[in-house]
Amino acid sequence: MIRGLGALVRKDLLRQLKDAKGFAIYMCVPLLLTFIMGISFGGGVFGESGISAVPLVICGGDLPSVLEDRLAQGLQESGFFQVTWADTAEAARLVSRGDASAALVLPDGLLRDFFSGRAVEVQLWKDPNSAVKAGIVESILAGVMRQYQAGEAAYRALWPEDAFPEAAGEDDAVDALFGGEPDRLLRSLREDATFGREFLDRLERGAVFARTLETPSISLELHDRQDWEAAQGDARQSRNLHDYFLPAFAVFFMMFSAAAMARELHRERETRTLARLLTGPVTVGTVALGKWLTAVIMCSLQLLVLLACGGLLFQLRVGSAPVALLFVSVAAAAAAASVYLALGLVVRTEKAMDALTTVFTLTCGMLGGNFFPVEFMPPALHYAGLVTFNYWANRAFSDLITRGEGLASVTPAIVVLWTIAVVGLVLAIAIFTVRQRKGVAA
Amino acid sequence: MNPRLIATVVGLRLRRVAADRANLIWLILMPLVFSYLMGMLMGNWSATGSASKPTFIVFGLEPATEAVTALLAPLADHPDFELVRRDTTATPERARSLLEDRVVAGALLVGPGFADSLRAGLAPTLDFYHDSDRTSSQRVRQALEAAYAATAVRATVQSLVDPAAAPEDPGKAAAFDAATYDSLVAHPRVRLAVTSLGRNRTADLTLTLTDSRQHSGPSYTLMFILMFLLMSAKDLVLERRQRTLDRLRLAWPTTADLVAGFFLAGMVVGLLQAALLLGFNAVLFRLDYGPSPACLALVVVLFVAVSSAAGLLLGTLSRTGGQADGLGMVFGLALPALGGLWWPLEIVPDVMQRIGRSLPTGQAITVFHDMIGRGWGLAETAPMLWGLAAWLAILLGLAVYFFRREIRG
Amino acid sequence: MIEVHELVKTYGAKVAVNRLSFAVAEGELFGLLGPNGAGKTTTISVLSTLLPASGGRAVVAGCDVARDPQGVRERIGVVPQEIALYEDLSARDNLLFWGRLYGLGGPDLKRRVEEMLEAVELAEHARQRVGSFSGGMKRRLNLAAGLMHGPQVLFLDEPTVGIDAQARKKILDLIRRLNADGLTILYTTHYLEEAEQLCHRIGVIDRGELAALGDKEDLIRQIGDEDTIRFDLPESLLPEFAEAAARWPGAGAVSHARGLAQLRAADGARILPEIQSWLAARGQSLAHLEVERPNLETLYLNLTGRALRE
C-alpha cells in the first residue's frame, strides 16, 4: 500500500507542478486582493491609515470671526476633518452632491440665543450616501453635545435660581455684549451693585462648577486590548490590516485549490485513468489517501508561500511562531483536503461537484470569516460560522499573526482542524468504498 | 449585418447557458446569498436598528449604587448590544480573556468597594475593557461613554451640594434637583438635529443610503454580472479550440454578424440576470432604486454592455480555457474590489476613490448610490454614464479589432 | 488462464452480460467480437475486478475475481478502450508512474520504461507531453502502460479504435509479438478483420450473450462453405432463373432481395459464366454483380440479424 501510495502522490504532485499557471493564479489572486486592501485601507507598507479626512462644511454667518477661526483651526488640526466655510445654500449643494460628507449648520444668533437661555438647535446635514464619514462626524458631535447637555442640566439642577439673563429680564446685558456695545455692559456692572454682585457670583459659580467637573467623582478607565497587549512587553498586537486580510484570502483560495484537487478524482474518472488505477494493485482507500495527501502537501505549500510573500511584501508578522504557523497551515490544509474530497465523492460528476463546491466555498468563506471578521455577524450566523473548518483556520492564523500568540493558544484550533480532517477523510474513504462495491466508483 | 443570423447565435448561446443548470448558481443563487449575507455583515448604517447583538458584560456585586444603576439604565435595551449583568466580581485578567476570546464586545468591572468609595468621595474607578479593532466593541464603548457623561456629571456635582452653606458662598448649592436634572438631560435646551439631505420620495420615506443592503444589493448584482460574463470568455476559447468557431465562420457571412451575435448574447444573459437580481432585491430587501426608471435602465444596459464587451475581449485574447478562467477571476475580483463593490468608496483614500470612479464598476455603483441615496436621475448622473459609455466604446472596439484579427488569422 | 462460467452482469433490469461462458488457454490470443454495446467492455470490467459480477464465476490467472480481486489485479494488465493516460505528463512520466504503482522501482523500473518505450517506438518522444501525441502514439503508449509490470494476462479493450491504418498495423504487430512471447491476451474488437487476422479463437458476443465460439474456420463452417452471388434481375424473371440454376452444378438456393437476385453456390467463380449467358440470352444487361465469400461478417449477420458496425 505504501509503495502504491507513494507512486500516486508522486504522480499527482508532478501533475500539479506541471500546471504552473493554475497554481500561479491561486497564488497571485490573494496577493493582488491583499494589495488592493492595502492601498485602500493602509497598514503595513502602505502606512497607518488609508481613510482620507472627512470633508466638512460649516455655516454660521454671525459667529465672531475669532470663534470661527478657532473652530475651523481646531477641527482642521485634528487631522480628521477638511473644513470649509460656506453659506447654507452652498453647504446644502455640497452635501447633497456628495462633495462634502456633512455640514455643521450653526444658526444665526447662536451665541446670543445660547447665553439668553433660549433653545438652540445646531444642525448637522449629512450626505445621504456617506454612511461612514458622515457617521463619524455625527458620532463626534453627539459626544461633545452630550457632555455639554449633562453639564448644563447639572448646573441648573444645582442653581435653579440662576436663570438665564433673558429669563431674568436681563437681556439688555446680552444685547449689549453681543450687540457690539460692551461698554453698556460695563456701565451696568459699575452702576448697578446688585447686578454686578450677582454677575460676579455667577462667574464664580461657573468657575467652581467647571473645576469640579474636571475631576469627576466616578472615573471611567478605558482599557483597550491594543494597549494592554503593547504594555505586556512587546508590540505583538498588530495594527496591520494585511495581518487579517492576507491569511483570510490565503485560506479562501486554499479552499479553491483543495476543491480543484478533489475535482481531479472526477477528471480521472472521466479520462478513465481512475478505472485503470482500480484494476491495479491499489484499493480505493489508497487512491483516496493519495489524493488527500497531495492536496495536503500542495495546500500547505500554498498557505506557507502566501504567508511568506505576505511577510516580504506587506510586512506580515509571520516570524514570531514559525512552528505554530507550519502546524496551523498543515492542519488547515488537511481539513480542507478531507472536506472537499468527501464533497467530491458525494456527487457523481465534475459539473455537479463544481456547482456544489462553489456554493460551499463561497458560503463557508463568508460564514467562516474570510471576507469579514465573524463577530460582525448576527449570533445565529456567528454560530453557523463555528462549524466551518475555515473559521478555525482563520482564527488560528489571526491568533498567530494579528495577536502574536504562540503554539499553545492555537492548539485547540489545530485539534479541531485535525478532527475535521480525520472525520472527513474516513467519510470520503467510506463513500468511495461503498461506491466501488456497487461498481460505480470509476 | 443580418439580424436573423445574429438572433440565431444569441439563441444558441442562451440555450447553452440554460442547459447548464450550474449556471443558475452564478446567475442567481450566489449573488442573492452574497447580497443578503454581506448586507447583514456590514450591518445597518442608520442610527437605529442593528444586525448584530454582541454581549456587553458588567461584573459587580449587588446592591449597586444609584450611580451604577443610572449608568446602566439607558444601556439595558440598547439596539446594538445585549447588556448582561453578573452579580460577581471579576479580575482584569478575566475581563481581558473574555475580550481576547471574543466572548464579549466589552466588559465593565465595578469593583467591590465601589459604593463605599463613592460615598467617601474617593472617586472610584469603573474599568471598561474593550477592543478598538472591533466595530462591535466600538459601539459598546460609544454607548457607555454617552451614559457615563450623564451619570458622572450627576455624581460629580453632588460635592457642590451643601445645605448648610453660607449664602455668601456662591460655589455651593443648597440642593441638587434630581427631577430637573433628569428632565433637562432628557430634553436638553441645546440640541443637535441631524438630517440626511436625501430627496423625499414620499412623506414617510427619505431616500438615504442608510441600510447596507442598499449598497450590497446593487453591488453584488453588478459584481456577479461582470464575473459571469468574464467567465463566459472561456466558452469563446472553447469554441475556437473545438473548431465550432471555424464552422460558424464558414457558415456565416460576416465577422460583424459573429461579433454582434456573441456580444448581444452576453448582453441578453446579463440583462436577464440584472432584471432578476434587481427584482429580487426590490422584493426581498425592499430596495427603492429612486425616481428615475430611465436612469436605472441606462446604467444597467451600459454596465451589462461593458461586461459583455470585456468578456468578448478576454475570450478573444486568451489562448486557453485556463488562461481565460484565470484572467476572468483576476479581473472579476479586482475590478469589484477597486470599484467599490465590496466596500463603499468613501472609506478609501482620495486617490483610490478617483481610481475606483474611473473604472466601470465604480461608475455603475456610484450611479446606483446616487439614484438610491440622492434620488438622482439621468441629468445628474450623466458624467458617470458617459464614463460607462466610454468604457463600452473602448472595450468593444478592442474586442472587435482582436476578433477580426483572430478570424483573419 | 481465464475461465468464465455462466457470468451475469445486470444494471437494474438491464442485462449487460447474460450467462457468458468461455475459457482462454495459457498463451492464447482470444478475441471477443461484437458491435458496440454487445457487452465486451462490461465483460472485461468484470474480469479485471472493476465491476462486481451479478452472477456466475470467473477465474483469471488462477484467482477468483470475486474472492481474490487483489490477486487478479496483480497478475493482469488492462489496456482500456479510452486513452487512460495523464496527458499533462510526458510519456516517460506516465510509464514511470504505472510501473511504480505495481511496485517496480530503481534501475529495474528505468530499464523497463526504456524497454517499453522502445517496444512501442516512442523512445524519441519520451519527454514529450502525451497531450501533444497523435492518436496512434497515444494508443501505443496506452498499450505500453498496461504492460509495464509484465502481466500474465492482458486485457485489450478495442485498442485500435480511431487510428489510421499504419498506426493500427504497428499495434497489431506488437500484439502478435507479445502473444508470440507467451502472453495470454483477451482482445475485444468490433473490427472483423482484426479478429480474423489476430485471434486463435473468437467468441462472437451479442446483447451480452455468446452467439458462437471457435476458431475462424469453425465459425465459418457454421454457415456453410458457399459463396453468395448477387446481381440485378427483375423479380418476374426469378422463377425462370431458379429453374435454370437448379441444373447448374454446384448451384444452391435462389432468393431475391432489394431488387437483386441471390444465388448460393459452392464455387461462385465457376458459375458466373452460366449466369452471364442466361442473362444475355434474355437480353438482360448485367449492371450489378457481386460474389461474396463466406466470412465472419456473414456469420455475424446470420447469428444476430444485424451487421457488426451497426
Side-chain angles (χ1 to χ4, degrees), chain B residues 9-61:
Chain B
V9 87
V10 171
L12 172 74
R13 174 86 183 108
L14 287 181
R15 269 193 294 277
R16 293 188 67 191
V17 169
D20 186 356
R21 269 176 292 173
N23 279 332
L24 284 177
I25 291 169
W26 287 103
L27 282 168
I28 308 293
L29 183 64
M30 288 324 291
L32 285 178
V33 170
F34 261 69
S35 301
Y36 176 73
L37 286 179
M38 293 306 247
M40 201 173 247
L41 288 174
M42 287 182 189
N44 197 328
W45 291 342
S46 61
T48 58
S50 169
S52 167
K53 278 235 174 189
T55 302
F56 170 33
I57 195 160
V58 179
F59 290 101
L61 291 172

Side-chain angles (χ1 to χ4, degrees), chain C:
Chain C
M1 193 58 98
I2 302 173
E3 289 169 42
V4 179
H5 182 68
E6 298 279 306
L7 191 70
V8 177
K9 177 65 193 171
T10 56
Y11 296 102
K14 188 185 169 217
V15 182
V17 174
N18 190 14
R19 304 182 66 185
L20 194 67
S21 297
F22 64 88
V24 180
E26 190 171 352
E28 185 178 2
L29 206 168
F30 181 84
L32 263 185
L33 177 70
N36 294 331
K40 305 186 295 292
T41 301
T42 305
T43 305
I44 283 197
S45 297
V46 173
L47 296 182
S48 60
T49 75
L50 209 52
L51 290 177
S54 311
R57 183 164 177 261
V59 176
V60 176
C63 303
D64 189 297
V65 292
R67 290 191 201 137
D68 185 12
Q70 200 61 25
V72 174
R73 287 179 199 151
E74 282 166 11
R75 290 165 176 78
I76 62 168
V78 179
V79 179
Q81 186 174 340
E82 302 80 9
I83 307 292
L85 295 169
Y86 299 100
E87 299 214 341
D88 44 357
L89 298 184
S90 68
R92 177 175 280 119
D93 285 338
N94 265 285
L95 294 185
L96 281 170
F97 165 66
W98 292 108
R100 280 193 198 104
L101 193 75
Y102 282 89
L104 295 178
D108 287 348
L109 174 62
K110 284 186 182 156
R111 194 172 52 246
R112 184 68 179 158
V113 168
E114 296 312 319
E115 275 173 21
M116 292 319 302
L117 286 169
E118 288 290 341
V120 295
E121 298 175 37
L122 287 173
E124 285 176 20
H125 306 279
R127 298 168 73 88
Q128 219 172 305
R129 273 180 66 245
V130 173
S132 66
F133 279 10
S134 69
M137 289 160 82
K138 285 180 185 173
R139 286 272 165 212
R140 267 143 53 204
L141 191 66
N142 202 25
L143 180 54
L147 293 166
M148 273 302 293
H149 57 294
Q152 295 175 29
V153 178
L154 183 65
F155 293 106
L156 288 165
D157 191 6
E158 309 232 20
T160 60
V161 166
I163 54 173
D164 61 37
Q166 196 185 0
R168 176 182 296 188
K169 183 175 180 307
K170 281 186 180 178
I171 288 180
L172 295 186
D173 287 347
L174 180 62
I175 293 168
R176 277 194 200 93
R177 283 205 304 276
L178 290 168
N179 181 242
D181 292 342
L183 183 62
T184 306
I185 297 174
L186 175 61
Y187 186 97
T188 76
T189 183
H190 65 269
Y191 293 126
L192 192 77
E193 52 280 22
E194 280 182 8
E196 279 184 307
Q197 287 169 28
L198 270 183
C199 302
H200 300 138
R201 283 192 310 138
I202 299 164
V204 179
I205 186 170
D206 181 53
R207 295 184 178 93
E209 293 181 12
L210 201 62
L213 178 67
D215 60 22
K216 183 184 161 189
E217 286 69 28
D218 284 345
L219 294 172
I220 289 172
R221 266 197 295 279
Q222 289 183 26
I223 54 164
D225 197 17
E226 291 183 325
D227 295 342
T228 304
I229 304 163
R230 294 189 192 89
F231 57 97
D232 47 347
L233 181 74
E235 202 168 357
S236 56
L237 292 175
L238 193 68
E240 192 183 339
F241 175 73
E243 200 177 308
R247 294 193 292 273
W248 301 334
V254 173
S255 59
H256 195 271
R258 286 171 288 179
L260 295 177
Q262 185 170 292
L263 170 67
R264 305 289 294 270
D267 185 351
R270 286 188 58 188
I271 221 149
L272 279 179
E274 301 281 2
I275 296 174
Q276 281 172 321
S277 311
W278 188 85
L279 288 171
R282 280 152 190 82
Q284 294 288 320
S285 62
L286 192 60
H288 180 101
L289 174 72
E290 64 183 52
V291 180
E292 187 178 88
R293 294 282 305 150
N295 58 23
L296 291 178
E297 180 86 49
T298 326
L299 166 76
Y300 196 84
L301 209 55
N302 282 1
L303 286 173
T304 66
R306 57 181 177 149
L308 265 168
R309 287 174 184 80
E310 271 175 12

